[in-house]
Amino acid sequence: MTLLVDTSVWSLALRRDGSSAGREVIALREALDGADSVVTTGLVLQELLQGFSGPKAKEAIIERFGALPLIQPDRRDHIGAADVRNVCRRNGVQLGTIDALLIQLCGRYELTLLSTDNDFAHAAPHVPFKMWGNG
Protein backbone atom coordinates (compact mmCIF):
# COMPACT_ATOMS: atom_id res chain seq x y z
CA MET A 1 0.00 0.00 0.00
CA THR A 2 1.17 3.52 -0.75
CA LEU A 3 0.06 6.23 1.66
CA LEU A 4 -0.54 9.91 1.01
CA VAL A 5 -0.29 11.39 4.50
CA ASP A 6 -2.37 14.45 5.30
CA THR A 7 -1.00 17.42 7.21
CA SER A 8 -3.10 16.47 10.25
CA VAL A 9 -1.08 13.28 10.80
CA TRP A 10 2.30 14.85 10.04
CA SER A 11 1.59 17.65 12.53
CA LEU A 12 0.90 15.15 15.29
CA ALA A 13 3.90 13.00 14.38
CA LEU A 14 6.33 15.93 14.28
CA ARG A 15 5.33 17.47 17.61
CA ARG A 16 8.33 18.04 19.81
CA ASP A 17 6.73 16.53 22.88
CA GLY A 18 5.99 13.31 20.98
CA SER A 19 2.71 13.13 22.88
CA SER A 20 0.67 11.66 20.07
CA ALA A 21 0.53 7.91 19.76
CA GLY A 22 -2.78 7.78 17.90
CA ARG A 23 -3.51 5.01 15.40
CA GLU A 24 -2.69 7.22 12.43
CA VAL A 25 0.66 8.35 13.83
CA ILE A 26 1.59 4.76 14.63
CA ALA A 27 0.61 3.78 11.06
CA LEU A 28 2.80 6.57 9.68
CA ARG A 29 5.77 5.50 11.78
CA GLU A 30 5.33 1.87 10.70
CA ALA A 31 5.07 2.93 7.05
CA LEU A 32 8.23 5.01 7.32
CA ASP A 33 9.97 1.99 8.87
CA GLY A 34 9.17 0.04 5.71
CA ALA A 35 5.71 -1.43 6.24
CA ASP A 36 4.26 0.71 3.43
CA SER A 37 5.37 3.39 0.98
CA VAL A 38 4.77 7.06 1.76
CA VAL A 39 4.44 9.87 -0.77
CA THR A 40 3.64 13.53 -0.37
CA THR A 41 2.71 16.61 -2.33
CA GLY A 42 3.92 20.19 -2.16
CA LEU A 43 0.76 21.46 -0.52
CA VAL A 44 1.22 19.19 2.51
CA LEU A 45 4.84 20.32 2.81
CA GLN A 46 3.76 23.95 2.54
CA GLU A 47 1.04 23.55 5.19
CA LEU A 48 3.55 21.98 7.58
CA LEU A 49 6.11 24.71 7.03
CA GLN A 50 3.42 27.33 7.65
CA GLY A 51 2.35 25.62 10.87
CA PHE A 52 5.72 25.11 12.56
CA SER A 53 7.93 28.01 13.58
CA GLY A 54 11.66 28.40 13.89
CA PRO A 55 14.57 27.55 11.61
CA LYS A 56 15.28 24.19 13.30
CA ALA A 57 11.72 22.97 12.75
CA LYS A 58 11.82 24.20 9.16
CA GLU A 59 15.09 22.44 8.38
CA ALA A 60 13.94 19.21 10.05
CA ILE A 61 10.73 19.17 7.99
CA ILE A 62 12.55 19.93 4.75
CA GLU A 63 15.11 17.21 5.46
CA ARG A 64 12.49 14.57 6.33
CA PHE A 65 10.38 15.39 3.30
CA GLY A 66 13.42 15.32 1.02
CA ALA A 67 13.40 11.53 1.28
CA LEU A 68 9.77 11.18 0.15
CA PRO A 69 8.58 10.98 -3.45
CA LEU A 70 6.76 14.20 -4.35
CA ILE A 71 3.59 13.99 -6.43
CA GLN A 72 3.05 17.04 -8.61
CA PRO A 73 -0.60 17.80 -9.40
CA ASP A 74 -1.23 18.80 -12.99
CA ARG A 75 -4.07 20.59 -14.75
CA ARG A 76 -6.36 17.55 -14.81
CA ASP A 77 -5.83 17.05 -11.05
CA HIS A 78 -7.00 20.58 -10.36
CA ILE A 79 -10.01 20.06 -12.63
CA GLY A 80 -10.75 16.75 -10.91
CA ALA A 81 -10.37 18.37 -7.47
CA ALA A 82 -12.94 21.00 -8.44
CA ASP A 83 -15.29 18.18 -9.44
CA VAL A 84 -14.66 16.44 -6.09
CA ARG A 85 -15.43 19.63 -4.19
CA ASN A 86 -18.58 20.30 -6.24
CA VAL A 87 -19.90 16.75 -5.75
CA CYS A 88 -19.32 17.05 -2.02
CA ARG A 89 -20.99 20.47 -1.84
CA ARG A 90 -24.06 19.14 -3.71
CA ASN A 91 -24.27 16.42 -1.07
CA GLY A 92 -24.01 18.84 1.85
CA VAL A 93 -20.32 18.26 2.61
CA GLN A 94 -18.05 21.28 2.92
CA LEU A 95 -14.60 20.29 1.72
CA GLY A 96 -11.56 22.56 1.49
CA THR A 97 -9.66 23.13 -1.73
CA ILE A 98 -6.54 21.30 -0.55
CA ASP A 99 -8.56 18.38 0.82
CA ALA A 100 -10.30 18.02 -2.54
CA LEU A 101 -6.94 17.95 -4.31
CA LEU A 102 -5.63 15.26 -1.93
CA ILE A 103 -8.70 13.13 -2.67
CA GLN A 104 -8.16 13.63 -6.40
CA LEU A 105 -4.51 12.60 -6.12
CA CYS A 106 -5.45 9.49 -4.14
CA GLY A 107 -7.91 8.48 -6.84
CA ARG A 108 -5.56 9.15 -9.72
CA TYR A 109 -2.50 7.43 -8.27
CA GLU A 110 -4.37 4.70 -6.33
CA LEU A 111 -3.05 5.98 -3.01
CA THR A 112 -4.51 5.44 0.43
CA LEU A 113 -5.12 8.63 2.40
CA LEU A 114 -3.92 8.66 6.01
CA SER A 115 -5.62 11.46 7.93
CA THR A 116 -7.22 12.39 11.23
CA ASP A 117 -9.42 15.00 9.53
CA ASN A 118 -13.12 14.04 9.67
CA ASP A 119 -13.85 16.04 6.50
CA PHE A 120 -12.42 13.15 4.49
CA ALA A 121 -14.73 10.65 6.21
CA HIS A 122 -17.69 12.89 5.33
CA ALA A 123 -16.55 13.07 1.70
CA ALA A 124 -15.91 9.31 1.36
CA PRO A 125 -19.52 8.26 0.63
CA HIS A 126 -19.70 10.73 -2.26
CA VAL A 127 -16.35 10.44 -4.08
CA PRO A 128 -14.18 7.39 -4.80
CA PHE A 129 -10.89 7.21 -2.91
CA LYS A 130 -9.23 4.90 -0.40
CA MET A 131 -8.94 6.03 3.17
CA TRP A 132 -6.72 4.28 5.70
CA GLY A 133 -8.68 2.32 8.28
CA ASN A 134 -11.71 1.82 6.01
CA GLY A 135 -11.40 -1.77 4.93
Side-chain angles (χ1 to χ4, degrees):
M1 165 172 31
T2 302
L3 297 174
L4 177 59
V5 181
D6 180 42
T7 307
S8 62
V9 178
W10 282 113
S11 294
L12 292 170
L14 294 172
R15 288 176 58 154
R16 252 186 232 196
D17 61 12
S19 62
S20 179
R23 296 176 344 122
E24 293 84 357
V25 172
I26 292 168
L28 172 59
R29 289 185 180 138
E30 289 173 354
L32 291 171
D33 285 340
D36 293 303
S37 300
V38 177
V39 299
T40 194
T41 188
L43 290 169
V44 171
L45 174 59
Q46 181 179 338
E47 283 185 320
L48 281 172
L49 291 171
Q50 291 169 176
F52 283 83
S53 60
K56 283 186 178 181
K58 177 181 178 181
E59 292 307 315
I61 291 168
I62 292 170
E63 182 179 330
R64 286 184 173 128
F65 273 66
L68 299 176
L70 188 72
I71 295 174
Q72 302 276 357
D74 64 17
R75 182 184 313 265
R76 70 182 155 171
D77 292 315
H78 292 286
I79 293 167
D83 291 341
V84 165
R85 194 158 188 256
N86 289 337
V87 165
C88 286
R89 188 178 61 233
R90 280 194 303 272
N91 285 283
V93 176
Q94 294 300 316
L95 191 65
T97 299
I98 293 172
D99 292 349
L101 184 58
L102 295 181
I103 289 172
Q104 167 61 27
L105 291 172
C106 284
R108 176 176 175 193
Y109 291 101
E110 298 181 9
L111 306 171
T112 300
L113 182 66
L114 178 61
S115 180
T116 61
D117 186 338
N118 284 332
D119 289 346
F120 293 110
H122 296 302
H126 309 291
V127 290
F129 72 103
K130 289 184 241 172
M131 193 161 169
W132 182 87
N134 290 354

